[in-house]
């Protein structure tokens, strides 16, 4: 009984040329998304999103401010105007998809 070596071919991965863009959206004070009271800056958080340009996709590395509302003891992230809460694609990508 001999040793049998099995080789597995890995399928090639599709690759798309894109740029990476760093975006900071940080506010010193933001209205609480629950009680609308002013909430000061607490720390930062990061998220990733996909945007478009004329030539190719753009990968966004977005740093947003995290705020703490002392009134209702709630932590929340500042929401950039170009990106919906929990979204992976920017508003421009969504608009372009709807138009096409």
């Amino acid at each position: 009984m001999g040793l049998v070596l099995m080789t597995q071919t890995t399928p090639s991965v599709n690759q798309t040329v894109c740029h990476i863009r760093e975006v900071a959206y940080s506010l010193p004070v933001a209205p609480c998304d629950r009680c609308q009271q002013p909430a000061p800056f607490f720390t930062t958080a990061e998220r990733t999103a996909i945007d478009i340009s004329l030539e190719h996709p753009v990968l966004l590395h977005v740093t947003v401010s995290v705020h703490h509302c002392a009134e209702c003891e709630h932590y929340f992230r500042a929401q950039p105007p170009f990106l919906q809460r929990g979204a992976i694609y920017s508003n421009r990508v969504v608009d372009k998809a709807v138009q096409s």
Side-chain angles (χ1 to χ4, degrees), residues 16-33:
T16 303
V17 176
C18 70
H19 284 276
I20 298 174
R21 207 172 275 154
E22 301 278 337
V23 179
Y25 187 76
S26 185
L27 304 172
V29 176
C32 177
D33 59 355

Side-chain angles (χ1 to χ4, degrees), residues 59-86:
L59 185 64
L60 299 177
H61 181 254
V62 184
T63 302
V64 296
S65 54
V66 176
H67 299 266
H68 178 251
C69 177
E71 192 73 28
C72 64
E73 292 297 319
H74 173 61
Y75 291 89
F76 63 95
R77 295 178 182 196
Q79 196 59 45
F82 56 87
L83 196 57
Q84 297 297 316
R85 182 180 310 277

Side-chain angles (χ1 to χ4, degrees), residues 6 24-25 36-38 44 76 79-80 85 87 95-96 99:
M6 296 181 67
Y25 187 76
Q36 302 305 313
Q37 295 298 315
T44 59
F76 63 95
Q79 196 59 45
R85 182 180 310 277
D95 291 345
K96 188 67 168 179
Q99 289 173 3

Side-chain angles (χ1 to χ4, degrees), residues 49-52 58 60 82-84 87-96:
I50 299 171
D51 196 15
I52 55 175
V58 177
L60 299 177
F82 56 87
L83 196 57
Q84 297 297 316
I88 295 173
Y89 297 101
S90 72
N91 294 343
R92 282 196 299 198
V93 173
V94 174
D95 291 345
K96 188 67 168 179

